[in-house]
Amino acid sequence: MVFQDPIRRKKVRTYANLSIIFIGALLIATSKKYVTAKSSEVTHSSVERNTATGRYAYATLLCDDVMLPATRAWLQSLKMTNTSFPIVVLVLPQLSLEGREELEKLGSIVLDVTPLEYPFTLTKSRLRDNKPCRYSKLHLWNLLNYDKVVYMDSDMLVMQNIDNLFVEFDELSACADLYPDTFNSGIMVIQPNETTFRNMKAVYKNVSSYNVGDQGFLNWFFGNEWSQRKDRHIPLKYNVLLKYRDTIMWGHVKDDIKVLHFTGETKPWNFYYSGHKDWEKNSEMRSYYAWVRMERISKEILGKALSWEMSDRVKHLCEQEYERNLTPRFRIQNKFSVVISTYNRQKLLERLITHYSRCRKVHKIYVVWHSPNIEAPYDFRVGSVPVVFLSQKYDSLNNRFNPIPGLKTQVSVLICDDDVYVEPDDIDFTFEVWKSHPNSLVGAFPRFHRRTTSNEWEYLVAEPMKKFRTFRRYSIMLTKFIFMKSDFLFWYSCILPERFHKYIDEHMNCEDIAMQMMITGMTRTPPLAVVGKAIPEDYGTDKSTGGISTKSGHKEARNKCLTYFISELFHGKDPLIYNSVIQTRFVKIPFAKRSWNEGSLWMNSSGSKNSLKTSVHPRALNNN
């Protein structure tokens, strides 16, 4: 794919093949190569020849500030393909003045349009999906200053130059949708025309729509001609939906994607709180990170990028991981990798490494060395299990969730502290439990949270007992000892909004709460506690070890984390889910043997024996 560097405008990146999407063995991407190219090299010659006579433009519709970040990323991705043509954003009155200024600063033409009335009954779901405002895209046919317009939804990301669409297609051209004989209106080549615009406005309110939205109407208006004219069928690589991975379409597009389309409820900007049942179908970490890159660059241009002492950590780390050869990394299925987080406690660390090297299912041990000013003991070796030290440039608690280069265990990692001891058999048992619950944090140290006021939350070791409840619940699993999906490391470090990382770096606390919130908000699966044969030993409570949890004010700091995360980053909606289930190792199923005249079946609420009603024949009881 071709991208123009926004800082050094004369250089662009040319990638050998698309390597954004990476899902198991389906996606085997090539390593990226970098060359220097001139602007003319990425513009199709056929398009260049027509620019003198044709007036072309890209366009999108923006209803309000909600989709402003998505529009910024789309706009930036289009500009970085070195397009030759202007970019128009049709905006409705709900968009703020600041939003208009941002779009203009990023190089687009902002045009105000009058909202077109939505012809169907308004419902909560339709309002959430912004369907009522989408009919305003009919104003595209009134852009009479242009001969052709390539319209794109703002939840798209352009991966390669697509200027060729202007000369290869006429109105109405679009990609086929998943439904037979329909097109997807996410990307369309149209030809503005006053008569067409007038005719569409005159009939759209009285026309049924299969999706009660603009796409259904456009298929009604243009569908017959589109279905009969194969020359109006744009190849699917110009409108790739992640859900195509489950269809035969995927084989035709996966190696040469021009445009990604983030359809569905789960998006790169809301994945961590959307919690939709189809989140796996509509999400993919490398595709999402491609969007994050564009959004980050747009904020840097606007001077809105977050800045703190360790702000370069995430960018440097994730760019390195993203640029690696993306051949499948996860090959080992029946073992797991151990990731030990440590800070200047070498004696404890040596004993723990020795301990984990004796576990049958450990493939490799990684040590996240949090001490930037102390050299890691790279020559440390024990047993037959390889030990890899990961030195860190920054002393950040977020480092414990860094993506790990060369990780080969298929999906699982054990994240643990350097001051927790769990018996080897119990470690293996916890791993087996996790394999049945791969979207959960599975561990041995559950915690609880609760609301204290309308906008404040509290962190607790265990839920206070209440008179009406005879069991306790938990909602957070500490990263002292947890099994988790390996992919979640990349999701947390590279796709989760940087505001989480900034808060954690500045307060030196709560990375475990942030990870739990991200996973639960994303997958809607609660944590799962495991009890083994032996009691886990936690040496972090000993003040001589210097653990963070031993410092004064630790609990109050975590209260503030919960309150900030929920109120500011989750828009006031608590993402955590309570669980009252604990997995234990099987010994036997206990039961009590009773005679016919004793036991709970014969006791009433007052605790006395309850006699049979005379309406039931005694012999009937004996026969049952």
Side-chain angles (χ1 to χ4, degrees):
M1 69 191 74
V2 182
F3 277 134
Q4 183 178 352
D5 192 314
I7 299 174
R8 304 179 66 183
R9 303 295 293 182
K10 293 183 180 180
K11 288 189 176 182
V12 296
R13 294 180 175 180
T14 302
Y15 295 84
N17 285 316
L18 177 72
S19 56
I20 294 298
I21 298 187
F22 174 77
I23 297 292
L26 281 177
L27 302 171
I28 303 177
T30 60
S31 58
K32 302 180 181 67
K33 298 178 182 179
Y34 297 87
V35 299
T36 301
K38 297 180 181 179
S39 299
S40 60
E41 293 175 331
V42 299
T43 305
H44 294 268
S45 58
S46 60
V47 176
E48 287 184 312
R49 289 194 298 270
N50 283 274
T51 53
T53 57
R55 299 171 300 169
Y56 304 145
Y58 290 99
T60 193
L61 172 70
L62 181 57
C63 301
D64 50 37
D65 284 40
V66 174
M67 288 292 288
L68 181 60
T71 305
R72 291 197 309 246
W74 165 79
L75 174 59
Q76 190 60 37
S77 72
L78 189 54
K79 290 180 67 66
M80 291 185 73
T81 63
N82 206 32
T83 179
S84 304
F85 305 110
I87 303 171
V88 178
V89 182
L90 305 181
V91 301
L92 298 184
Q94 290 82 357
L95 182 67
S96 65
L97 177 61
E98 181 182 1
R100 287 172 167 80
E101 292 174 347
E102 288 181 7
L103 295 174
E104 290 174 347
K105 189 172 181 179
L106 290 173
S108 70
I109 300 169
V110 178
L111 295 179
D112 287 275
V113 295
T114 304
L116 294 181
E117 182 182 352
Y118 184 62
F120 301 101
T121 302
L122 292 177
T123 64
K124 185 176 180 180
S125 62
R126 292 170 189 172
L127 286 170
R128 183 188 64 237
D129 295 339
N130 253 351
K131 282 194 174 185
C133 76
R134 293 181 190 176
Y135 273 85
S136 298
K137 70 173 60 169
L138 300 186
H139 283 289
L140 293 165
W141 279 265
N142 202 33
L143 296 178
L144 303 179
N145 290 333
Y146 304 101
D147 298 322
K148 283 186 186 178
V149 171
V150 172
Y151 168 82
M152 302 176 70
D153 284 347
S154 59
D155 59 354
M156 286 181 149
L157 200 70
V158 185
M159 311 308 297
Q160 302 184 53
N161 186 281
I162 58 173
D163 286 353
N164 59 299
L165 291 177
F166 289 103
V167 295
E168 294 179 14
F169 296 94
D170 296 318
E171 183 179 281
L172 178 289
S173 296
C175 300
D177 201 27
L178 290 174
Y179 304 101
D181 298 323
T182 60
F183 61 82
N184 185 290
S185 60
I187 184 168
M188 301 180 293
V189 176
I190 71 169
Q191 294 177 240
N193 181 281
E194 187 175 6
T195 301
T196 303
F197 177 59
R198 186 167 55 249
N199 291 340
M200 295 171 83
K201 283 185 65 179
V203 300
Y204 86 92
K205 291 183 182 180
N206 302 313
V207 172
S208 62
S209 168
Y210 69 85
N211 71 336
V212 291
D214 61 282
Q215 180 167 295
F217 168 72
L218 291 171
N219 269 273
W220 176 87
F221 197 91
F222 293 103
N224 288 337
E225 183 179 3
W226 175 86
S227 62
Q228 295 170 9
R229 294 282 301 272
K230 299 305 178 183
D231 60 319
R232 305 289 172 87
H233 289 215
I234 299 176
L236 289 177
K237 62 185 178 180
Y238 289 89
N239 189 1
V240 176
L241 283 59
L242 294 178
K243 64 178 69 175
Y244 285 170
R245 291 171 297 174
D246 298 328
T247 72
I248 60 174
M249 299 177 185
W250 188 246
H252 300 289
V253 300
K254 65 185 181 68
D255 294 324
D256 187 26
I257 297 177
K258 300 287 188 181
V259 180
L260 281 169
H261 193 178
F262 300 114
T263 58
E265 299 287 338
T266 306
K267 311 280 191 181
W269 51 91
N270 72 2
F271 78 95
Y272 64 98
Y273 63 84
S274 62
H276 195 266
K277 63 180 180 179
D278 291 331
W279 70 272
E280 288 182 287
K281 181 182 294 186
N282 292 305
S283 64
E284 194 281 309
M285 61 183 184
R286 296 191 180 276
S287 303
Y288 276 28
Y289 182 66
W291 183 91
V292 169
R293 294 175 94 189
M294 293 302 104
E295 211 267 333
R296 180 193 298 137
I297 293 172
S298 71
K299 289 194 295 186
E300 290 173 351
I301 294 173
L302 294 170
K304 299 185 66 172
L306 284 179
S307 178
W308 71 100
E309 185 178 352
M310 293 182 252
S311 57
D312 288 338
R313 186 193 73 86
V314 172
K315 183 177 179 180
H316 176 73
L317 168 75
C318 296
E319 288 298 304
Q320 276 191 328
E321 180 67 10
Y322 182 73
E323 301 294 351
R324 297 182 195 279
N325 189 325
L326 300 182
T327 53
R329 300 172 299 158
F330 305 135
R331 300 183 179 91
I332 309 299
Q333 299 185 33
N334 59 349
K335 291 189 174 184
F336 58 88
S337 298
V338 179
V339 182
I340 306 173
S341 187
T342 187
Y343 185 89
N344 198 23
R345 295 196 288 201
Q346 192 162 333
K347 288 185 178 180
L348 279 171
L349 177 64
E350 291 176 1
R351 294 176 183 177
L352 203 58
I353 291 176
T354 302
H355 167 62
Y356 281 115
S357 68
R358 295 169 181 161
C359 297
R360 295 179 294 111
K361 295 185 177 181
V362 171
H363 175 256
K364 187 177 288 188
I365 299 172
Y366 294 92
V367 179
V368 181
W369 190 259
H370 284 273
S371 309
N373 300 321
I374 301 177
E375 186 176 359
Y378 294 104
D379 59 345
F380 186 86
R381 295 290 182 272
V382 58
S384 60
V385 178
V387 181
V388 178
F389 282 82
L390 304 173
S391 295
Q392 305 299 320
K393 183 179 178 181
Y394 300 98
D395 179 20
S396 169
L397 289 177
N398 290 303
N399 288 334
R400 73 184 310 155
F401 299 133
N402 288 352
I404 299 174
L407 188 68
K408 290 186 172 61
T409 46
Q410 185 191 24
V411 289
S412 176
V413 291
L414 169 60
I415 307 289
C416 57
D417 286 349
D418 61 357
D419 51 18
V420 171
Y421 176 87
V422 179
E423 284 289 337
D425 285 348
D426 291 336
I427 295 174
D428 290 345
F429 171 67
T430 307
F431 176 53
E432 293 302 316
V433 172
W434 174 85
K435 286 196 293 186
S436 298
H437 303 82
N439 288 327
S440 293
L441 286 182
V442 179
F445 295 90
R447 295 294 184 262
F448 173 76
H449 83 296
R450 66 175 179 179
R451 187 195 295 267
T452 55
T453 67
S454 61
N455 58 356
E456 292 185 335
W457 298 81
E458 182 181 18
Y459 171 86
L460 299 162
V461 174
E463 180 185 11
M465 296 292 287
K466 297 179 180 179
K467 292 181 180 180
F468 60 87
R469 183 178 293 131
T470 58
F471 58 88
R472 296 188 179 186
R473 305 175 300 173
Y474 58 93
S475 55
I476 299 168
M477 192 60 61
L478 297 190
T479 47
K480 286 175 176 288
F481 179 89
I482 55 163
F483 278 91
M484 62 183 291
K485 185 181 290 187
S486 303
D487 281 352
F488 287 145
L489 298 176
F490 191 89
W491 283 102
Y492 177 93
S493 296
C494 303
I495 310 176
L496 190 68
E498 291 183 349
R499 291 175 66 188
F500 282 95
H501 300 283
K502 181 176 186 293
Y503 185 94
I504 291 163
D505 284 340
E506 292 177 344
H507 294 82
M508 286 296 289
N509 210 327
C510 299
E511 83 288 354
D512 47 359
I513 294 177
M515 174 62 85
Q516 181 67 76
M517 286 183 162
M518 182 197 79
I519 293 176
T520 306
M522 180 180 182
T523 70
R524 301 310 295 162
T525 55
L528 182 60
V530 175
V531 175
K533 289 192 306 183
I535 298 175
E537 299 175 8
D538 184 0
Y539 296 90
T541 57
D542 185 350
K543 291 188 177 182
S544 64
T545 64
I548 292 177
S549 61
T550 64
K551 297 179 180 179
S552 61
H554 175 69
K555 181 179 178 299
E556 289 72 19
R558 292 172 79 76
N559 293 347
K560 292 179 180 179
C561 286
L562 281 165
T563 299
Y564 176 77
F565 289 161
I566 294 173
S567 61
E568 297 295 327
L569 303 182
F570 286 89
H571 312 289
K573 182 180 179 180
D574 178 15
L576 297 175
I577 300 176
Y578 297 106
N579 199 354
S580 58
V581 174
I582 290 182
Q583 294 278 5
T584 61
R585 304 190 68 168
F586 174 75
V587 178
K588 66 176 183 179
I589 301 295
F591 65 94
K593 296 181 179 181
R594 303 291 187 193
S595 70
W596 276 104
N597 296 320
E598 65 179 1
S600 300
L601 283 174
W602 307 108
M603 304 296 291
N604 60 21
S605 59
S606 62
S608 62
K609 293 293 178 76
N610 189 12
S611 60
L612 285 172
K613 302 296 184 181
T614 56
S615 60
V616 179
H617 196 282
R619 187 171 295 175
L621 177 64
N622 293 334
N623 290 337
N624 286 334

